[in-house]
Amino acid sequence: MVAGYNTISMGTGRKEFHPKKERPGLEDYIKEAGQGTLKQIGGARYVDECVIGNFMASRFNKQANLAGFFPFIDEGLKGKPAIRVEGACGTGGLALLTGIKSVLAETAEVVLVIGVEVQNTVKAIYGADILAGAGWFKDRKEGHAYFFPGQFSDRAGAYFEKYGRDKTRKAFARWYRNAIENARLCPTAQEYNNTTKDLEACAITEPNGKSFVDHLNVFDCSKVSDGASAIAVVSEEGLKRIGIDKRDAVEIVGWSQVEDDITRKPMEQTELTTFRLAAHEALESAGISADHLGTAEVHDCFTIAGVMAVEAIGLAGIGKGTDFILEGNTARDGKIPINTTGGLIGWGHPTGATGVHQAVTILEQLTGKAGKSQIQITPERPYALSVNMGGNDKTLVAIVYKRG
Amino acid sequence: MNYEERLQNVSVLGAAGKMGSGILLLTSVELADLSLKPENKGKSFVLNAIDVSDEALTGVMRYLKSQVLKIAEKKIVALRAIYKNRQDLIENSEIIDQYVFDVLSVVRPGTRLEATYESGIIFEAIREDPALKVRIYTQIKENNPNHPWFFTNTSSIPISELDEKAGLGGSIIGFHFYNPPAIQKLVEVIKAKNTLSELEDFALTFAKNLRKIVVPSNDIAGFIGNGHFMRDILYATSQVDLLLKDLSFVEAVYAINKISHEYLIRPMGIFQLIDYVGVDVCSYILSVMNSHLENEELSSTLLNKVLDLGVKGGQYSDGSQKDGFLKYEKGKITGVFDPGKKEYIPVQVIQGKVEEKMGIMPPVLPWKSVVSNPAKEEILKSYFMEIKKSASFGASLTLSYAVNSRQIGLHLVNTKVAFNEKDVNTVLLTGFFHAYGPVNEYVL
Ligand SMILES: NC(=O)c1ccc[n+]([C@@H]2O[C@H](COP(=O)([O-])OP(=O)(O)OC[C@H]3O[C@@H](n4cnc5c(N)ncnc54)[C@H](O)[C@@H]3O)[C@@H](O)[C@H]2O)c1
């Protein structure tokens, strides 16, 4: 993969964001991200295929048939194959895999992959309806007004019960602090302008079940975001064609995609079992263990998901994710910096774009192009992992990367 | 009749007015919530929204719809529980739409007073005109067989007087909302001499269900809120007169507005507040209060003088401020009215002289930064210490203003308008959004 590009993650938190002012539309984000990547690879003429990932433009923007926006990005894409994929918040990961498979199938040497979502077209309370589509619609009626926060609040409640509330909430607060501190170093991050002094004190605010959910507060949640990310999935042949050095690319050394039954409730509220399966399969296919990871991008749609992700990857034992986080291991100067540009809580969560954003962050970190967010990647731990999740542990994509 | 039966047929008189529209909103939501309780299934709840013009009522229905939508969005968590058995309502948007529909369907807008003849409760928020209020109460009483209870929003007329003149036999209580009723937390509840005790109990329950802060006030014209506000106005105008020795009229008004706003850490200055309420309304309240108070002369030649020149203040229908003592552009004060020249003098022309006269003042603490600050007490203590230490003219004006405000508060307790100092402070804190109550230790 090469030539990553992220638009700003727009929404509350950004200085430029005013809910009542007109903002760029879906097509503007697609165009900006697409052109950002095309420019780096020498233009549309080198592209063989296009993939766009998007979750719910059909409702957020009343727009479908998104593949039709590729020629809008660049006339040179007219007449080329293009496809749109969807897997809720795991959409971006599926888009990447679709590109990877085309390259592996040798139907393409260069695939342009974009993920996009524009969600601030409706108030959060109606956005919750739309995002609930990531779950089974037959569960919607009995679900919470804020459907997904409700689902993960239940998980947090179960985790509190099993492993202790205080420590877990402290780990949530630390997770939040790490996310914001990382976001402050990344100019496209939604929380880039966050100036709160004591982040952990702010994050420990008691949840209020009357206006939101029982076990999580707003700081435990990912952002409502507008944004797009793009990257090129390229074969070695393709790299030559676009004239980019291997060292400026990341190699995909392993991957996994697994699904769980959307009509079923989680087997275990305190674990992300499908997430675990995907992460393990990916590491296995790369022939490495979690100890070889220099960094990871994990799907922290909620702080509780962050805690369980650390356990699911195998960085910490079951029920030990909180300690791992509180010991500072996931901070940017820790053993394995996680979500180095803020993740879903700090950078933002334009749902259909998130999986692609994860890949762009890893590409930048491994090739030394992460600017102020740059962490040090050592020869002992040269690998990186991204795990993108759709729904409540249903659609999972895990990818292992290494510098080319 | 129990609480719910009383509320099965309610009327709001003056429903399109500033206060009436807010009372309509609060009441329609309360009635709809009652109608949605499982135990009230099958019962009907009716809220007559009565005013004199259809046009205004159309506008108020539009206002109601937009406000109920906001309320519904805010309480969606509770609404999902309320509608849990409605299998056809699944998404938040469906539930919110249904709730807006359910609230609006309680309301029957109309211009005919006859609609009130079946009501158990009548909220009255028509013009502050005692004769008109009495005439309407009498007509309703004569035609309504249900012995309705009257909730009047009067700002200044003693409730006992309304009770006696309309022959209501104690079926009336002062239920004094603050403007805007949907936002302001405070309700002053005023019992007349003969107010029925069941009516008082009901009023307190109703206020609690609307999540209001209740302050009881005695039935003495002006009650606590205007009792303080009107006397505060008179003090301000007397200070303007004093300043005329050294300053022009517009400078003096500007100075006193600044003192009562910035240096007293209030949300707005006294002349801005007069404009907000309306110069005409203030003058009228003064005259009603004056006619009921002995040993005290409550009237302002200044207010009457500018009124005669057509300067009224008040708001445009979009809520923006009309010019009054002060001129406003996009909410900012840009000029002061000069009755001699009959025009507004720009602030820039006035400012310099006033600042010079005030002298070197302690730094201003913005009201916003103090009002909900957890360390408010400490901040205010040291701020007033600075004021007391300062030798500037502005500081001495500030201190005497605050001391006078304190005396008004004590006067309200001494003359038994308020039951205690705390109630006075609560009214100023919650009804006027002051950062501190007038009866405090800071200014001693
Ligand atoms: N405005 C305030 O800040 C405030 C605060 C507290 C109490 N009050 C009191 O509330 C009452 C109403 O004040 P407001 O400011 O809302 O006045 P307003 O002029 O905005 O509203 C009065 C409404 O009553 C209607 N009305 C007049 N005669 C009527 C009649 N015969 N039948 C039905 N409707 C009639 C008018 O058309 C108007 O819509 C007054 O008693 C006032 O003292 C006002």
Side-chain angles (χ1 to χ4, degrees):
Chain A
M1 285 184 197
V2 288
Y5 186 93
N6 297 318
T7 69
I8 281 171
S9 177
M10 184 63 75
T12 51
R14 287 300 300 193
K15 274 207 302 258
E16 333 57 337
F17 180 76
H18 296 286
K20 295 208 172 112
K21 280 208 188 133
E22 213 181 321
R23 287 182 296 277
L26 186 68
E27 63 283 1
D28 301 311
Y29 285 101
I30 295 173
K31 191 171 208 163
E32 182 190 338
Q35 290 185 341
T37 290
L38 287 180
K39 209 166 139 202
Q40 298 174 58
I41 62 170
R45 65 200 161 118
Y46 294 123
V47 174
D48 299 318
E49 284 182 24
C50 308
V51 182
I52 186 162
N54 171 266
F55 174 23
M56 273 286 191
S58 49
R59 290 193 69 188
F60 280 120
N61 323 95
K62 310 256 189 289
Q63 180 67 59
N65 206 2
L66 297 191
F69 285 100
F70 279 105
F72 171 75
I73 298 170
D74 191 307
E75 266 187 53
L77 297 176
K78 203 167 149 176
K80 299 197 176 184
I83 185 170
R84 175 253 177 100
V85 297
E86 188 274 309
C89 304
T91 292
L94 293 183
L96 294 171
L97 279 192
T98 308
I100 291 170
K101 285 179 178 175
S102 281
V103 168
L104 291 177
E106 297 183 8
T107 64
E109 306 288 359
V110 178
V111 183
L112 172 61
V113 177
I114 298 179
V116 67
E117 206 75 54
V118 172
Q119 307 180 295
N120 284 295
T121 49
V122 297
K123 288 187 186 174
I125 189 61
Y126 303 112
D129 280 337
I130 297 177
L131 297 173
W136 191 29
F137 189 66
K138 288 198 171 155
D139 288 338
R140 178 69 186 112
K141 176 68 186 169
E142 67 182 65
H144 195 278
Y146 293 94
F147 186 78
F148 266 92
Q151 305 265 299
F152 281 83
S153 167
D154 291 349
R155 284 183 175 273
Y159 200 98
F160 291 169
E161 194 135 301
K162 210 160 174 180
Y163 303 114
R165 184 174 193 269
D166 273 8
K167 187 166 72 178
T168 307
R169 291 204 72 234
K170 276 190 192 134
F172 288 179
R174 178 65 66 83
W175 187 274
Y176 174 76
R177 175 179 145 194
N178 291 343
I180 304 302
E181 284 178 353
N182 285 336
R184 283 172 181 164
L185 300 171
C186 177
T188 53
Q190 204 164 326
E191 291 287 358
Y192 180 61
N193 304 122
N194 186 316
T195 54
T196 306
K197 283 206 188 78
D198 192 343
L199 291 164
E200 288 185 64
C202 169
I204 208 81
T205 311
E206 272 301 314
N208 176 359
K210 283 211 177 116
S211 56
F212 192 51
V213 294
D214 290 339
H215 305 299
L216 299 173
N217 62 34
V218 288
F219 307 105
D220 290 313
C221 301
S222 51
K223 312 281 308 177
V224 173
S225 318
D226 300 349
S229 294
I231 203 164
V233 179
V234 183
S235 64
E236 285 194 42
E237 218 16 69
L239 273 183
K240 281 184 209 142
R241 193 203 282 176
I242 60 178
I244 291 183
D245 191 280
K246 267 188 183 182
R247 295 292 290 159
D248 291 326
V250 286
E251 184 188 350
I252 307 305
V253 290
W255 53 271
S256 164
Q257 202 274 304
V258 289
E259 284 293 336
D260 188 20
D261 183 347
I262 195 172
T263 68
R264 296 207 172 211
K265 301 249 177 333
M267 262 186 326
E268 176 53 75
Q269 283 284 32
T270 57
E271 286 176 49
L272 297 174
T273 49
T274 320
F275 190 118
R276 170 181 300 273
L277 187 61
H280 282 240
E281 278 188 11
L283 291 173
E284 202 178 354
S285 75
I288 63 162
S289 79
D291 293 339
H292 297 106
L293 295 172
T295 181
E297 289 292 308
V298 306
H299 196 95
D300 59 339
C301 44
F302 301 93
T303 49
I304 178 66
V307 171
M308 293 191 294
V310 164
E311 297 172 10
I313 292 171
L315 294 166
I318 286 177
K320 297 279 187 289
T322 50
D323 292 321
F324 191 78
I325 292 160
L326 286 168
E327 283 157 14
N329 292 312
T330 61
R332 58 184 305 101
D333 56 356
K335 194 156 116 194
I336 168 168
I338 291 186
N339 293 357
T340 57
T341 56
L344 285 62
I345 289 171
W347 189 80
H349 187 25
T351 42
T354 290
V356 182
H357 172 256
Q358 292 180 326
V360 174
T361 296
I362 286 178
L363 167 68
E364 288 173 350
Q365 290 292 5
L366 294 189
T367 56
K369 292 187 180 130
K372 282 197 176 154
S373 324
Q374 188 66 52
I375 52 161
Q376 214 193 342
I377 303 290
T378 62
E380 297 77 47
R381 295 167 155 266
Y383 296 94
L385 169 74
S386 69
V387 189
N388 185 203
M389 173 168 76
N392 188 359
D393 200 28
K394 297 306 176 197
T395 298
L396 270 295
V397 177
I399 301 175
V400 181
Y401 314 72
K402 185 171 175 278
R403 189 174 190 173
Chain B
M1 260 195 256
N2 64 18
Y3 180 80
E4 273 143 39
E5 284 162 356
R6 268 281 158 204
L7 285 170
Q8 279 193 260
N9 192 314
V10 177
S11 293
V12 176
L13 290 171
K18 269 202 296 284
M19 302 304 288
S21 54
I23 297 169
L24 184 70
L25 171 62
L26 293 169
T27 315
S28 60
V29 169
E30 171 68 1
L31 260 56
D33 286 351
L34 283 176
S35 76
L36 289 167
K37 285 192 175 167
E39 62 268 29
N40 290 331
K41 212 174 166 189
K43 287 188 202 154
S44 67
F45 289 82
V46 170
L47 178 58
N48 303 299
I50 299 167
D51 208 295
V52 292
S53 97
D54 281 316
E55 201 187 348
L57 284 168
T58 306
V60 110
M61 291 306 287
R62 228 175 283 126
Y63 161 82
L64 206 58
K65 183 166 180 208
S66 68
Q67 295 303 308
V68 176
L69 177 65
K70 283 190 192 156
I71 291 172
E73 288 171 348
K74 263 205 201 129
K75 61 179 192 184
I76 182 65
V77 175
L79 291 181
R80 285 192 77 91
I82 289 174
Y83 290 105
K84 70 172 183 298
N85 293 327
R86 284 282 300 268
Q87 293 306 323
D88 58 323
L89 303 176
I90 296 170
E91 297 206 312
N92 293 335
S93 61
E94 293 165 332
I95 288 167
I96 287 166
D97 287 349
Q98 181 66 45
Y99 185 70
V100 172
F101 177 80
D102 285 344
V103 174
L104 293 187
S105 17
V106 164
V107 181
R108 316 286 146 90
T111 54
R112 296 164 62 84
L113 195 63
E114 285 83 341
T116 64
Y117 294 172
E118 286 173 46
S119 291
I121 300 270
I122 291 163
F123 287 95
E124 175 274 304
I126 62 174
R127 224 173 40 233
E128 190 74 336
D129 176 343
L132 178 64
K133 290 190 196 248
V134 167
R135 187 160 59 74
I136 288 186
Y137 298 167
T138 313
Q139 187 181 334
I140 296 173
K141 191 198 94 170
E142 281 169 3
N143 293 287
N144 182 324
N146 302 328
H147 306 292
W149 288 346
F150 291 84
F151 283 60
T152 175
N153 203 52
T154 178
S155 306
S156 53
I157 312 166
I159 316 302
S160 301
E161 175 185 318
L162 294 170
D163 187 18
E164 278 151 32
K165 289 200 173 146
L168 299 178
S171 293
I172 183 169
I173 197 161
F175 204 78
H176 186 222
F177 286 97
Y178 275 68
N179 184 19
I183 293 172
Q184 294 261 41
K185 283 263 165 265
L186 180 68
V187 171
E188 265 181 284
V189 173
I190 308 118
K191 256 190 348 173
K193 262 202 293 298
N194 298 321
T195 295
L196 306 170
S197 66
E198 320 87 273
L199 167 50
E200 190 196 2
D201 293 345
F202 176 93
L204 296 178
T205 310
F206 184 73
K208 199 174 117 224
N209 288 350
L210 298 190
R211 262 162 284 160
K212 295 294 180 194
I213 297 168
V214 172
V215 171
S217 165
N218 265 321
D219 192 17
I220 297 174
F223 320 119
I224 298 174
N226 284 320
H228 184 277
F229 177 32
M230 293 301 136
R231 291 176 177 92
D232 211 39
I233 293 179
L234 295 181
Y235 179 76
T237 57
S238 74
Q239 291 298 96
V240 167
D241 288 342
L242 283 182
L243 286 182
L244 290 181
K245 279 201 306 256
D246 305 304
L247 296 174
S248 69
F249 174 79
V250 288
E251 287 163 349
V253 167
Y254 182 78
I256 294 300
N257 194 65
K258 196 178 170 79
I259 295 282
S260 54
H261 177 201
E262 293 173 9
Y263 293 115
L264 285 176
I265 322 180
R266 290 182 180 180
M268 57 172 84
I270 187 74
F271 287 101
Q272 190 182 357
L273 184 59
I274 296 173
D275 291 345
Y276 176 77
V277 172
V279 184
D280 52 344
V281 175
C282 292
S283 161
Y284 191 77
I285 294 175
L286 277 170
S287 71
V288 175
M289 283 175 66
N290 199 36
S291 67
H292 289 96
L293 294 171
E294 290 157 17
N295 318 324
E296 201 181 358
E297 177 61 23
L298 293 190
S299 76
S300 161
T301 36
L302 178 56
L303 258 60
N304 296 337
K305 180 160 134 198
V306 301
L307 257 186
D308 287 344
L309 293 171
V311 172
K312 277 167 79 166
Q315 279 99 42
Y316 292 103
S317 54
D318 70 350
S320 63
Q321 181 62 47
K322 289 185 189 167
D323 296 339
F325 273 100
L326 308 172
K327 184 178 171 63
Y328 304 87
E329 273 163 42
K330 294 196 183 121
K332 276 225 163 74
I333 298 169
T334 57
V336 181
F337 185 69
D338 183 339
K341 296 199 177 118
K342 301 193 181 48
E343 63 179 30
Y344 288 89
I345 311 298
V347 163
Q348 296 94 300
V349 180
I350 306 168
Q351 242 167 0
K353 183 80 185 290
V354 171
E355 267 154 36
E356 191 190 317
K357 177 78 189 157
M358 293 294 128
I360 297 169
M361 296 283 289
V364 170
L365 297 177
W367 168 80
K368 256 197 186 149
S369 73
V370 178
V371 68
S372 47
N373 196 317
K376 192 164 85 172
E377 258 177 61
E378 287 308 306
I379 294 172
L380 287 165
K381 208 189 237 171
S382 67
Y383 173 75
F384 278 104
M385 203 72 95
E386 288 293 310
I387 290 281
K388 283 186 260 186
K389 268 196 274 176
S390 166
S392 69
F393 183 62
S396 74
L397 278 182
T398 304
L399 191 61
S400 26
Y401 203 115
V403 167
N404 186 73
S405 166
R406 183 174 199 278
Q407 275 159 3
I408 298 173
L410 293 174
H411 173 78
L412 291 170
V413 179
N414 293 336
T415 53
K416 306 218 161 34
V417 176
F419 290 97
N420 53 49
E421 293 168 6
K422 187 163 163 272
D423 285 350
V424 176
N425 286 345
T426 305
V427 169
L428 273 296
L429 286 164
T430 58
F432 291 79
F433 294 115
H434 285 191
Y436 53 94
V439 188
N440 59 60
E441 304 287 309
Y442 312 126
V443 303
L444 290 182

